[in-house]
Amino acid sequence: TGVGFNVLTKNGLISSDFGINNTAVGFEALKNLDNNTADQNTAVGSQAHLYNDSGFQNTAIGAEAMSGYSGGDENIAVGFQALNGGNNTANGHQNVAIGVGALHDNISGDNNVAIGYKAGFAHTGDDQLFIQNRTLPSYDPLIWGRFAPGIIRVQINGEDISTTNLFYVNGSAGGTGNW
């Protein structure tokens, strides 16, 4: 299903089989889709998931959301340039990016979660969590985590500070009293 100018324009042109159950709404959404495995994608917004030619089960909502992803599966991007990829060959898998520019530069990282304005903007690794609302180097994520097997940890007010602690607070911490 396509609604908008230049949506799904390559769907079925090169290969005899083509992606099925795709939905594209907005200027050039899913424009380059032409692969029989590129099924069940949803792109809503101007140039949303623009370069996808083989990714499946992706959801891109917002102008230029996932626009640089040519592959990658089971990603969710919500917000202007969320999970943008930038290089038109990005192919990360199972990422969730919610917020303007969230995980913007992720090209091949898998299993990441970023929530907030430009959360995890310049990060490209795997298995990371970002809850943040700014990108300047002086603004660390409010919450950062790694959930790769054997490296699980959560950090408050910092990102990937070298520690063996499973829970780390960059600054003071406590409840009714200090820890």
Side-chain angles (χ1 to χ4, degrees), residues 27-179:
F27 174 72
E28 293 186 337
L30 283 172
K31 177 182 178 183
N32 292 299
L33 188 73
D34 184 33
N35 188 301
N36 62 350
T37 62
D39 299 337
Q40 302 169 335
N41 294 287
T42 301
V44 178
S46 177
Q47 296 185 333
H49 219 345
L50 173 65
Y51 289 99
N52 182 21
D53 64 8
S54 62
F56 64 88
Q57 296 175 342
N58 294 295
T59 301
I61 300 173
E64 298 177 27
M66 288 189 71
S67 67
Y69 267 64
S70 63
D73 309 321
E74 301 169 332
N75 293 291
I76 298 171
V78 178
F80 173 69
Q81 292 188 342
L83 206 56
N84 182 272
N87 70 356
N88 304 338
T89 61
N91 64 359
H93 304 281
Q94 299 162 340
N95 296 291
V96 176
I98 300 173
V100 170
L103 287 175
H104 182 277
D105 293 346
N106 186 56
I107 295 171
S108 61
D110 301 333
N111 306 310
N112 295 294
V113 176
I115 300 170
Y117 175 76
K118 296 190 177 182
F121 184 88
H123 295 275
T124 59
D126 300 328
D127 303 306
Q128 296 183 56
L129 165 70
F130 298 91
I131 298 178
Q132 107 187 63
N133 200 32
R134 295 200 169 117
T135 59
L136 297 174
S138 60
Y139 294 110
D140 288 324
L142 171 65
I143 299 173
W144 177 86
R146 183 173 304 279
F147 35 81
I151 315 174
I152 296 172
R153 66 178 181 259
V154 174
Q155 295 178 190
I156 305 295
N157 195 30
E159 177 185 333
D160 206 8
I161 295 168
S162 181
T163 180
T164 58
N165 296 329
L166 297 178
F167 180 70
Y168 178 86
V169 177
N170 185 15
S172 60
T176 57
N178 289 336
W179 294 353

